[in-house]
Amino acid sequence: PVHTFAAPADAMMNVRMDGGSGGNGGEGSTGGRGARVAAQVPVQKGDTVELYVGCSGQAGKKEEAGSGGGASAVVVNGKVMAVAAGGAGGGGGMGGGAGGSGGQL
């Protein structure tokens, strides 16, 4: 999902966001966590601010791997200002590996 608004005043936005977690694999392997990011984003009155919210990945069925999670981002006037990557999906098959841990900036 995307949330769009016009900045009401000149300001420094304090942003904390997470990328979506990866879906679990069908054989029980755990999907990875999305990255967690904190940033300060400068805006001026009237700037177009877009907040992209990363969704969680879907769980795999039976021996399938889970899908990766979506990235979250802050975009100001078409310029990407901050990104939190999505997590890896859980492995599929018998004894597939778990997704990686989330990063942090």
Side-chain angles (χ1 to χ4, degrees):
V2 180
H3 304 280
T4 303
F5 63 94
D10 293 356
M12 185 68 69
M13 290 188 342
N14 291 312
V15 178
R16 292 188 330 185
M17 61 186 167
D18 295 324
S21 296
N24 293 336
E27 294 293 326
S29 59
T30 305
R33 293 176 299 162
R36 175 166 286 170
V37 173
Q40 291 188 323
V41 178
V43 295
Q44 295 181 338
K45 183 176 181 176
D47 282 352
T48 300
V49 179
E50 297 171 281
L51 305 176
Y52 291 82
V53 179
C55 296
S56 296
Q58 294 184 342
K61 297 177 184 174
K62 295 189 181 182
E63 295 182 6
E64 295 176 349
S67 64
S72 297
V74 177
V75 178
V76 178
N77 295 328
K79 181 178 178 185
V80 177
M81 303 298 285
V83 175
M94 298 300 289
S101 62
Q104 190 170 13
L105 293 179

